[in-house]
Amino acid sequence: LKVVAVGGAGYHGSLLRGFVRHLGTPGAHLGPRGPDWLGLLRFLIVPLGPHPVAQHLGTLDGRYGSAFLDPPWRELFARSEPPPSEPFSVAGRILGYVAGAGVTLALPVAEAMLTCRDKL
């Protein structure tokens, strides 16, 4: 099961915290398959703005980096106001990434939680 999470580092941190608290706790009701079901869940992180996990994923996967870490993507989401026209298809990039994500990188949730932790 692919879970596509589109947002900033704070959103992804909240999502992963919720996953760890509710689905990763011993005895959590996960249906008939139990904890083995957790191995079937894959988070696909799509960054909007600066994102430490995305930077890490970009160093490991050139295709990911070219989709979400190139200058046009960063500039689009660094603006305070939306541009008058979309310089490229945001949905197209995301859909292309999801379609091509047959092999995912094994990034443990705990590692992602440490990388996404609040800086405050």
Side-chain angles (χ1 to χ4, degrees):
L1 177 63
K2 295 177 185 177
V3 177
V4 182
V6 182
Y11 168 74
H12 291 131
S14 297
L15 177 71
L16 292 174
R17 271 190 295 281
F19 172 78
V20 169
R21 284 187 188 131
H22 299 292
L23 297 178
T25 57
H29 178 67
L30 299 173
R33 296 224 30 196
D36 292 340
W37 183 78
L38 294 175
L40 301 176
L41 189 61
R42 300 288 183 253
F43 286 99
L44 302 176
I45 304 294
V46 177
L48 301 181
H51 199 294
V53 171
Q55 293 294 330
H56 179 68
L57 292 174
T59 62
L60 300 174
D61 182 358
R63 189 167 162 259
Y64 180 90
S66 66
F68 302 122
L69 301 176
D70 68 339
W73 182 271
R74 287 184 308 199
E75 290 169 11
L76 179 63
F77 293 105
R79 298 173 182 233
S80 59
E81 295 290 324
S85 64
E86 197 172 271
F88 55 86
S89 173
V90 171
R93 281 195 188 196
I94 294 171
L95 291 173
Y97 167 60
V98 171
V103 176
T104 56
L105 299 171
L107 182 64
V109 172
E111 183 179 340
M113 286 291 295
L114 287 173
T115 306
C116 279
R117 74 176 182 259
D118 295 332
K119 302 287 183 191
L120 300 175

